């Protein structure tokens, strides 16, 4: 780095002072830096802006401390200073209205205070609840969570991770199912690897396919346990609202549910496995398809997520059918909005907020490990009034 001179003013007297160095600790840029011996050009509008910008050196001068001491106080680094010095620096920060240049700090340290989080649908309480849990961990650490929603799965996630790498984000957390598109998955995995090589940390909440720390919901096991419980309640003929084709979460939950029925000698008619969007409207439309099939009506309908189940419930009411009197209904996830659903919905409970906390701790508070960690999260079957009990 070249030896440059920085021009500034002490806040008390306004007299000009000369100090050397292009930047201060933590990447704080020197205001009005110029090459040695260069003649400043007067009269430019930007000169006034440079002279009026409050720098960390101004804070140190006002507090009567060294630049390194002021930097330690402002950045709240691991090396602490005495209480009285800290009070003086903080008072100077308040008096001068100083704001740290986070972009410059990111350039100097190679890492910003940003944490990237990408979900498939922020309107779905499944994703927003998980995001809330990880924000609870990030906030006390004074980290900025940048949340994005994409329905493009691996393609959109890859673009977002690339953006976070360009922003020197500290960590990225990817929430949502993987798809069966091998090429897109490989592209996302490569971008995540590039992000971690650049010094960032990464985690995902989904299937263990990205080579990073993973929170793994036990989708198949939860759906299997639900199927067995519904058979015990007396249900024998089932329909499944299966969500979008190609999503591995759908595959796992349908496969687990089918296996659970088979373990009780109950078969699932493939025609009654109906795909649909992972939304309320998707559940409404898929339920319409089931009702339009005619023939013997199912005893119970399993929607592979709760949001679809809410749409299915609305469709059943529109058809004049009683739940559970005419047909049972179950979901998966136990999202918070089920508190307002009547009748209360049978589902598989996942600790969504805790899953977010777990992912955040892995990349924000815990040391990195040589090999990625995989933390399975089991689901809990919660039987409520929507499925009832049949002889």
């Amino acid at each position: 780095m070249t030896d440059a001179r920085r021009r500034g003013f002490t806040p008390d007297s306004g007299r000009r002072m000369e100090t050397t160095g292009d930047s201060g600790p933590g990447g704080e840029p020197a205001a009005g830096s110029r090459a040695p011996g260069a003649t400043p050009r007067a009269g430019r509008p930007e000169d006034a802006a440079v002279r009026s910008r409050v720098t960390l050196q101004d804070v140190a001068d006002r507090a009567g401390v060294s630049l390194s001491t002021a930097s330690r106080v402002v950045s709240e680094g691991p090396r602490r200073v005495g209480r009285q010095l800290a009070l003086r620096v903080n008072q100077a920060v308040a008096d001068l209205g100083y704001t740290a240049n986070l972009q410059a700090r990111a350039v100097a340290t190679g890492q910003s205070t940003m944490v990237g989080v990408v979900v498939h649908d922020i309107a779905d309480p499944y994703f927003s609840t998980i995001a809330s849990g990880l924000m609870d961990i990030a906030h006390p650490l004074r980290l900025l969570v940048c949340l994005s929603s994409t329905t493009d799965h691996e393609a959109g996630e890859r673009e977002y991770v690339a953006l976070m790498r360009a922003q020197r984000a500290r960590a990225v957390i990817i929430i949502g199912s993987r798809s069966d598109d091998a090429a897109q998955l490989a592209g996302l995995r490569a971008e995540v690897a590039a992000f971690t090589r650049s010094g960032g940390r990464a985690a995902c909440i989904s299937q263990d396919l990205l080579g990073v720390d993973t929170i793994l919901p036990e989708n198949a096991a939860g759906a299997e346990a639900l199927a067995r419980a519904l058979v015990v309640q007396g249900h024998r003929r089932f329909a499944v609202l299966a969500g979008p084709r190609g999503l591995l979460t759908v595959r796992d939950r349908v496969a687990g549910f089918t296996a659970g029925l088979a373990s009780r000698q109950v078969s699932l008619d493939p025609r009654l496995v109906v795909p649909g969007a992972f939304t309320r409207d998707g559940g409404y439309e898929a339920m319409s398809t089931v009702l339009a099939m005619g023939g013997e009506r199912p005893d119970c309908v399993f929607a592979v997520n709760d949001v679809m189940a809410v749409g299915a419930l609305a469709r059943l009411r529109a058809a004049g059918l009683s739940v559970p009197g005419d047909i049972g209904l179950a979901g998966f996830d136990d999202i918070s909005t089920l508190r307002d659903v009547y009748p209360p919905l049978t589902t598989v409970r996942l600790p969504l907020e805790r899953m977010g906390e777990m992912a955040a701790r892995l990349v924000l508070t815990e040391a990195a490990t040589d090999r990625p960690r995989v933390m399975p999260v089991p689901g809990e079957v919660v039987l409520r009034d929507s499925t009832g009990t049949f002889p």
Side-chain angles (χ1 to χ4, degrees):
M1 180 179 293
T2 61
D3 180 23
R5 292 186 175 274
R6 179 169 55 80
R7 292 175 296 146
F9 291 86
T10 59
D12 291 324
S13 63
R15 60 184 175 82
R16 193 168 72 182
M17 49 179 287
E18 300 282 342
T19 59
T20 60
D22 280 331
S23 63
E28 179 66 36
S33 59
R34 58 187 176 89
T39 302
R41 289 177 294 174
R44 296 182 304 173
E46 57 267 33
D47 288 342
V50 167
R51 288 194 299 270
S52 63
R53 185 184 305 136
V54 177
T55 69
L56 190 59
Q57 182 66 61
D58 297 328
V59 172
D61 293 342
R62 169 63 70 93
V65 299
S66 68
L67 183 60
S68 60
T69 297
S71 177
R72 287 199 294 270
V73 174
V74 170
S75 64
E76 296 186 345
R79 294 182 60 189
R80 300 295 183 180
V81 303
R83 182 173 178 273
Q84 291 300 322
L85 287 179
L87 287 174
R88 282 159 51 187
V89 171
N90 289 328
Q91 185 61 51
V93 167
D95 291 344
L96 300 176
Y98 170 77
T99 301
N101 189 326
L102 299 181
Q103 287 183 321
R105 184 177 296 173
V107 171
T109 65
Q111 196 172 76
S112 73
T113 58
M114 183 182 298
V115 177
V117 178
V118 60
V119 303
H120 287 176
D121 182 7
I122 192 59
D124 187 336
Y126 174 87
F127 295 107
S128 57
T129 304
I130 292 175
S132 175
L134 65 90
M135 287 179 181
D136 287 343
I137 301 301
H139 178 70
L141 300 174
R142 301 185 68 181
L143 298 175
L144 174 66
V145 175
C146 181
L147 180 63
S148 180
S149 179
T150 175
T151 57
D152 293 334
H153 300 292
E154 282 87 357
E157 292 163 337
R158 184 180 69 251
E159 292 177 0
Y160 182 76
V161 174
L163 176 63
M164 289 297 100
R165 180 157 63 99
Q167 295 288 335
R168 294 181 171 86
R170 179 170 302 189
V172 165
I173 300 173
I174 302 171
I175 308 172
S177 176
R178 302 297 98 231
S179 76
D180 59 4
D181 189 325
Q184 293 288 358
L185 177 62
L188 174 60
R189 186 180 177 112
E191 186 57 52
V192 170
F195 178 83
T196 57
R197 284 196 303 271
S198 69
R201 300 280 300 277
C204 69
I205 301 176
S206 63
Q207 292 79 21
D208 176 26
L209 295 173
L210 297 181
V212 296
D213 290 337
T214 300
I215 306 300
L216 178 64
E218 295 187 338
N219 291 309
E224 183 176 350
L226 174 64
R228 292 196 300 265
L230 294 175
V231 172
V232 169
Q233 284 191 318
H235 302 286
R236 293 295 181 270
R237 179 172 168 80
F238 292 89
V240 176
L241 311 185
R245 300 182 189 276
L247 283 189
L248 301 188
T249 293
V250 170
R251 182 199 67 183
D252 293 343
R253 292 182 181 182
V254 173
F257 193 78
T258 303
L261 295 181
S263 71
R264 294 292 187 266
Q265 289 74 53
V266 175
S267 61
L268 177 63
D269 186 343
R271 295 176 302 169
L272 293 175
V273 179
V274 180
F278 250 172
T279 62
R280 181 266 183 200
D281 291 345
Y284 191 99
E285 293 169 5
M287 190 71 249
S288 297
T289 300
V290 171
L291 295 178
M293 289 180 179
E296 186 179 359
R297 192 169 58 229
D299 298 334
C300 186
V301 174
F302 167 51
V304 294
N305 76 354
D306 289 338
V307 174
M308 293 187 75
V310 171
L313 179 60
R315 181 65 184 90
L316 291 170
R317 285 177 175 163
L321 296 173
S322 170
V323 177
D326 296 318
I327 189 170
L329 180 64
F332 200 113
D333 294 331
D334 198 29
I335 58 176
S336 58
T337 50
L338 293 188
R339 301 170 190 169
D340 301 319
V341 171
Y342 184 83
L345 185 70
T346 289
T347 190
V348 178
R349 175 183 295 155
L350 289 175
L352 302 177
E353 191 165 355
R354 184 164 65 85
M355 287 161 56
E357 294 172 354
M358 292 165 64
R361 287 194 179 98
L362 285 176
V363 295
L364 298 180
T365 66
E366 298 182 12
T369 56
D370 293 335
R371 301 186 56 164
R373 295 161 286 189
V374 179
M375 305 181 68
V377 178
E380 175 191 0
V381 174
V382 181
L383 296 174
R384 299 190 179 112
D385 294 348
S386 68
T387 52
T389 302
F390 295 85

